[in-house]
Amino acid sequence: MSFRYGKRAKKPDGWDLIEPTLTEIAEKMRDAELQPYKGKRKGETAWPILRLHHQRSRYIFDMYYQKKSISRELYDYCLEQKIVDAALIAKWKKIGYERLCCLQCIQTRDHNAKATCICRVPKRELTEEKALECVHCGCSGCAN
């Protein structure tokens, strides 16, 4: 099965390197979309989809910035075709946001008391010993 996004623009050199992984993530995404939602809380149904979205963006980010194994042209192609989340990658480049799970967790308008999400609080500063999950994406802690 081939991996398609957007218009049929010519794929840059190096696409063969990332296509198998992107195809695998796309198949997992389809499976996550078809999962039954009965018995789950309202936000829980989107958690697997958000995790896969993060995984896909993180894969391209790591391939370009950490491993330097894809070209700038291929990276720009992925951004233009919206294969990856450009806003999330922009946050990953900033200090303190290197492990950010999703943009919704840092938007103060979506949380009580105009604060950020519980997953952004470092684990050493949490007093409770119970497992905490973000209500938006299911993250158990993305603070540095």
Side-chain angles (χ1 to χ4, degrees):
M1 174 183 289
S2 69
F3 186 52
R4 293 186 197 179
Y5 266 107
K7 297 176 184 166
R8 293 187 184 254
K10 185 178 181 219
K11 295 176 177 75
D13 292 337
W15 178 256
D16 298 338
L17 178 68
I18 63 172
E19 186 178 23
T21 304
L22 293 178
T23 303
E24 180 183 334
I25 293 171
E27 289 172 5
K28 288 180 184 177
M29 185 77 78
R30 271 187 235 104
D31 292 342
E33 290 170 351
L34 296 175
Q35 281 183 349
Y37 56 89
K38 200 167 190 168
K40 293 183 180 180
R41 294 181 297 193
K42 180 182 171 186
E44 272 184 70
T45 57
W47 291 358
I49 296 167
L50 289 169
R51 285 186 183 123
L52 289 167
H53 174 73
H54 175 274
Q55 181 183 358
R56 182 177 56 207
S57 295
R58 192 57 160 182
Y59 172 70
I60 299 296
F61 175 82
D62 288 342
M63 292 293 280
Y64 182 69
Y65 287 103
Q66 268 45 32
K67 297 178 184 177
K68 300 187 184 330
S69 59
I70 62 173
S71 66
R72 177 70 186 195
E73 182 184 358
L74 180 57
Y75 176 73
D76 288 340
Y77 175 82
C78 291
L79 291 174
E80 289 167 9
Q81 295 296 316
K82 298 188 184 215
I83 296 171
V84 296
D85 188 346
L88 186 58
I89 288 177
K91 286 293 181 186
W92 286 339
K93 293 186 223 173
K94 295 182 179 180
I95 296 173
Y97 295 98
E98 297 90 357
R99 295 179 52 207
L100 181 65
C101 55
C102 71
L103 292 172
Q104 206 168 8
C105 289
I106 59 171
Q107 293 175 347
T108 56
R109 70 170 190 254
D110 295 336
H111 303 283
N112 295 337
K114 300 293 180 199
T116 57
C117 184
I118 190 69
C119 71
R120 297 295 301 151
V121 177
K123 291 189 181 199
R124 65 181 176 276
E125 294 182 18
L126 293 173
T127 56
E128 300 175 15
E129 294 296 322
K130 65 180 180 179
L132 295 172
E133 290 180 331
C134 170
V135 294
H136 299 293
C137 63
C139 174
S140 60
C142 62
N144 292 335

